Amino acid sequence: MASAKHQKVEEEEHVDVPPEYEAISEELQNLYHDIGEIEQETSKLVEEIVRKQNVKKLPLYEKRAKIFSKVPGFWKRTLMNHPLFGDVLEKEDLEILDHLEDVKFESPSEDVEKLVFYFKPNPYFSNRTIWKEVTYKDDDATTKSSKIEWKPGMNVIQNVEKKSVGEKRSSPPASFFTWFEPEETDVFLLGQFKEHIWPAPHLIFEGMVDDEISFEEDEEEEDDDKEDGEEGSDE
């Protein structure tokens, strides 16, 4: 049975609007259409400014990479300290990351983002770089990845059960490197790196990270599920 509070809300939702409001509704629609066009135009200008800013930052990011390279295992520790990346890194992954030299976030165009991992020669694969690229168009995102050239007997994901394209994982993958598989379409890791690691990796290295930053999306979904469940129990 619905609560009195819910009944009151439902009643208010069905209250007829006054005729004066109906008379101005078309004017409001036109007004907000014009506002939307201005916001869209401004958004494009901001994106262009950010792209120019990032181009100017590139030489500084190269200097930063050389500074980080003075610290053995800098990127391995940084990824381990981030709540989401640390959660999906398995023992075998950490052994591979012992050979990680550098990680870079790139945005070659306004609708493309790319995460690149640079490795020293290692016993696991012949690649010196592996990468994941995301292309955004409207509300869709498509991904492509470099193929990892595993050396004989060293493929840490060979026996991992593959999920169908677009299927949401109910648990972390058995290896972080499954993220580079062609059928793995998740873009959340790249977004986390872009937003929380790339701007200041040294802070994550030092352990200055909020444990909640990587799980905001999942927590919001859980909160919504809880609210839906509570509403259902009132009926």
Side-chain angles (χ1 to χ4, degrees):
M1 180 181 295
S3 66
K5 179 181 177 181
H6 288 165
Q7 288 179 342
K8 183 177 180 181
V9 170
E10 291 174 359
E11 290 174 0
E12 291 177 350
E13 288 178 348
H14 291 89
V15 173
D16 293 333
V17 296
E20 293 84 358
Y21 182 83
E22 292 182 355
I24 67 169
S25 62
E26 185 175 349
E27 291 182 71
L28 285 175
Q29 288 180 6
N30 294 332
L31 176 68
Y32 282 110
H33 176 268
D34 293 341
I35 290 175
E37 287 189 336
I38 293 174
E39 291 176 343
Q40 189 174 21
E41 180 181 349
T42 303
S43 178
K44 291 180 179 178
L45 291 173
V46 171
E47 290 175 357
E48 181 62 27
I49 291 172
V50 171
R51 283 196 297 275
K52 290 181 179 179
Q53 182 186 70
N54 288 336
V55 170
K56 290 183 178 181
K57 287 180 179 178
L58 287 177
L60 298 177
Y61 284 143
E62 292 299 326
K63 289 183 179 180
R64 187 179 73 173
K66 292 180 180 179
I67 295 172
F68 291 159
S69 68
K70 298 177 182 179
V71 181
F74 175 86
W75 280 106
K76 176 183 177 180
R77 174 169 167 168
T78 299
L79 295 175
M80 289 174 61
N81 281 351
H82 186 274
L84 180 60
F85 281 87
D87 189 55
V88 301
L89 289 170
E90 300 294 331
K91 179 182 177 181
E92 295 82 1
D93 300 330
L94 297 178
E95 292 173 356
I96 296 175
L97 292 183
D98 284 333
H99 306 278
L100 181 64
E101 288 186 309
D102 195 10
V103 184
K104 292 182 180 179
F105 169 80
E106 301 175 355
S107 183
S109 64
E110 62 179 306
D111 55 353
V112 177
E113 295 178 347
K114 188 175 184 179
L115 192 57
V116 187
F117 287 66
Y118 295 80
F119 287 87
K120 297 179 288 186
N122 64 82
Y124 295 93
F125 43 74
S126 58
N127 310 61
R128 293 300 301 273
T129 63
I130 59 175
W131 51 266
K132 182 97 171 184
E133 184 176 281
V134 182
T135 300
Y136 298 94
K137 186 175 182 181
D138 299 326
D139 295 328
D140 296 324
T142 57
T143 64
K144 61 180 180 179
S145 307
S146 58
K147 180 181 178 181
I148 300 179
E149 301 293 343
W150 296 100
K151 293 181 179 180
M154 304 304 290
N155 188 340
V156 298
I157 62 175
Q158 195 169 37
N159 298 321
V160 175
E161 181 182 354
K162 302 297 189 301
K163 300 287 186 178
S164 61
V165 175
E167 182 179 353
K168 185 176 180 180
R169 294 183 182 277
S170 58
S171 61
S175 168
F176 163 69
F177 291 91
T178 60
W179 188 60
F180 294 94
E181 291 288 276
E183 62 267 39
E184 179 55 76
T185 59
D186 175 71
V187 300
F188 193 50
L189 277 176
L190 192 150
Q192 284 290 299
F193 188 92
K194 172 188 174 182
E195 296 295 331
H196 300 299
I197 298 180
W198 184 243
H202 64 286
L203 297 182
I204 310 298
F205 178 88
E206 295 172 10
M208 300 174 62
V209 59
D210 186 344
D211 288 342
E212 296 181 359
I213 64 171
S214 61
F215 299 107
E216 290 176 354
E217 182 180 75
D218 292 338
E219 286 175 352
E220 288 175 1
E221 290 178 357
E222 289 177 3
D223 290 342
D224 290 341
D225 291 341
K226 288 179 181 178
E227 290 176 0
D228 291 341
E230 289 172 358
E231 290 178 0
S233 62
D234 290 336
E235 293 179 359

